[in-house]
Amino acid sequence: MHVKNGIAVSPGIAIGPAFVLGVEDFRVPQNYVSVAAADSEITRLRCALDNVAAEISANEALAAQHLGKEYAAIFGAHLQFVRDPKLVAEMEQRIRTLHHSPEFAATQVLRRFARELQHLGNQYLAERATDIFDLERSLLRHLLGEQREELSHLTTSVIVLAHNLTPSETANLNRKFVRGFVTEVGGSTSHTAILAGALEIPAIVGVGSFLTDIAGGDLIIVDGDQGKIIINPDDQTIALYQAAQARSRTNTASLQARTDVPAETRDGTRIAVYGNIEFPDEAEHCRTRGADGIGLYRTEFLYLGATRERSEEDHFEAYSKVIRNFPNQPVVIRTLDLGADKVPGALQEVFRDITNPELGLRSIRVSLEYLGLFRTQLRAILRAATEGDVRIMFPLISSLAELRQAKMVLADVLEDLEEQGIPFRRDVPVGMMVEVPSVALLAEEFAREVDFFSVGTNDLIQYVLAADRSDPSVAKYYNAADPAILLLLRRIFAAGAKVGIPVSVCGQMASDPKFVPLLIGMGLRQLSVTPQSIPTIKEMIRNMTLAEAEDIANRASSMELARDVEFFLRGELRRFLPDGQA
Ligand code: PEP
Ligand code: MG
């Protein structure tokens, strides 16, 4: 058994066999063969090795002919590995004495060898590990033939382990069979992480290099609460985690019984707790967990994973589905926030040459550049708005000119609908995300031109602290508890109060229990959080007084280091958490 640590991004515990992505989606079951079958299985392995060798020789000849001898030499190295008597003997021995299937034996031996190469401290040899993975892929293709199982065709429950998953890949994970996932890269507020929360599967990102330690079929525990991945756990650990799973089910059930009780502090201040969603289906999850409405609908996910252009009707249907769950409560529909790590297949070309995607053509900038896309969406929102309390929100606004331009397009679309005699709602409130430092600094000026603010701390933090939200190598620089962030938040909340517009926080910071007393203490009265965290956050609010929250905010604001703020908030958290979670 061994344990790896990463960044916990979606809570819960999952236990199941590993499905290692990156080997062409092969899943290698930890199969065993009978003693009697050992000879025939060894013959099958040798046959597959011969076929792989023949394939490599053919490629070698082809490379020599077209590219020259030096390039052909690459294949020579591959051939050497396939013919390495030590490696082959070890695979055969595993089949004979440990009764491993040839697939399992091959994966175990080749991955161990790759790991040894990576740890020799020599760059050249470490890179040869890639050759071993290539070889593993070819060998598995020959051994498994048509039986290879793809992520899109899963038939049993698995834990997906990958170097990286794009937001589109994550959005398409089959919830029925993918029990959890772990990636080597990724940051706490990357969109892949946010999607894991939306899919409600335990997930860990940013573990660093670990895939070479794992073979498909190894038993894995994903501890999405602590950010721990346990590989081949012993019986005692499995029992501990099974008990924790049962406890968590009981806690969820007891919180669920109080979902209808409003989030009001012990001294009577009402806090609105809205849900963040990426897919229309999630609206129902928010409703059943007691949300006061939808505070952030990330509509761009309508495009991710889609193979065709989205029509006005596609938008309209998705929005109507969400509104039907909250006919009398606010539903904030954010216009497309495409770009950066959210690039749909159909628009790859548009974003291909952007050198710095987080600072490039992204979000409202895309909408203002591709007006057809923007207008289609605005029409659908205005039409759907007749069915409920819909609000429009523009993402990533960075200047007043840009905000005014977006509002002008909206006014133009309103006129079109009017002229065409199509039913729509005219008085839809218009708000904006506060997630670019320029807006936080001039918050009062912006507040005078919109109906509400929603603070996107995920982006605000990365732009203020110059630390990519998706990059685990700078995770230590990306910190919501940084005094600069607290100062800006106070400034934004104060601007909203002075001008008289509501302010909410919809970034992940609001879903993190330790920041909830701080935010409320700094003056926040509306939070928009991940659906899973709604019951816990409402219960915490019911457990606190405003005076306690204000005291926490004042003490945190007097600290100089993010580390101290974080430590302090963690310590204060216990007294507000629901029973069973403290
Ligand atoms: C944010 O930036 O905090 C936010 C809520 O938007 P997104 O995570 O979609 O960028
Ligand atoms: Mg954002």
Side-chain angles (χ1 to χ4, degrees), residues 263-271 541-542 544-546:
E264 191 174 299
T265 61
R266 284 191 354 250
D267 45 0
T269 302
R270 177 77 162 84
I271 308 290
I541 294 168
R542 292 190 290 258
M544 72 179 73
T545 64
L546 196 57

Side-chain angles (χ1 to χ4, degrees), residues 168-301:
S168 309
E169 285 167 335
T170 313
N172 288 311
L173 288 178
N174 183 341
R175 257 190 274 195
K176 193 161 155 218
F177 297 120
V178 177
R179 287 296 148 91
F181 77 78
V182 184
T183 59
E184 293 187 324
V185 300
S188 61
T189 63
S190 61
H191 287 101
T192 296
I194 289 168
L195 276 173
L199 297 172
E200 308 202 352
I201 46 184
I204 301 171
V205 301
V207 176
S209 158
F210 78 102
L211 289 178
T212 46
D213 296 344
I214 295 180
D218 278 355
L219 188 68
I220 303 290
I221 296 178
V222 180
D223 178 346
D225 301 315
Q226 306 292 329
K228 254 192 212 152
I229 161 169
I230 304 165
I231 301 149
N232 291 322
D234 55 31
D235 290 346
Q236 197 189 354
T237 308
I238 296 174
L240 272 174
Y241 273 96
Q242 282 169 339
Q245 269 181 323
R247 258 198 322 276
S248 148
R249 275 193 284 271
T250 316
N251 289 340
T252 308
S254 91
L255 276 183
Q256 195 62 35
R258 292 194 293 280
T259 49
D260 288 341
V261 184
E264 191 174 299
T265 61
R266 284 191 354 250
D267 45 0
T269 302
R270 177 77 162 84
I271 308 290
V273 179
Y274 302 119
N276 287 350
I277 61 168
E278 286 72 41
F279 307 106
D281 286 351
E282 289 179 277
E284 193 188 338
H285 303 172
C286 293
R287 183 170 49 77
T288 55
R289 286 173 169 132
D292 293 306
I294 299 297
L296 169 66
Y297 175 10
R298 291 181 165 100
T299 57
E300 57 278 5
F301 284 93

Side-chain angles (χ1 to χ4, degrees), residues 7 57 72 98 172 212 214 224 248 291 311 331 381 448 511 517 565 572 582:
I7 306 168
S57 301
L98 299 174
N172 288 311
T212 46
I214 295 180
S248 148
S311 67
V331 172
I381 300 176
R448 287 196 197 95
S511 303
V565 173
E572 294 297 305

Side-chain angles (χ1 to χ4, degrees), residues 337 362 435 459 469:
D337 185 6
R362 186 194 154 185
E435 49 185 351
D459 278 313
R469 62 194 269 188

Side-chain angles (χ1 to χ4, degrees), residues 189 362 396 433-441 454-467 469 478-479 484-490 492 505 507 509:
T189 63
R362 186 194 154 185
L396 210 83
M433 301 276 300
V434 179
E435 49 185 351
V436 179
S438 57
V439 175
L441 291 168
S454 188
V455 187
T457 48
N458 303 339
D459 278 313
L460 187 64
I461 297 165
Q462 78 165 346
Y463 295 133
V464 170
L465 300 177
R469 62 194 269 188
Y478 182 100
N479 196 334
I485 302 297
L486 304 195
L487 186 81
L488 278 183
L489 288 175
R490 266 194 196 277
I492 300 163
V505 169
M509 186 178 183

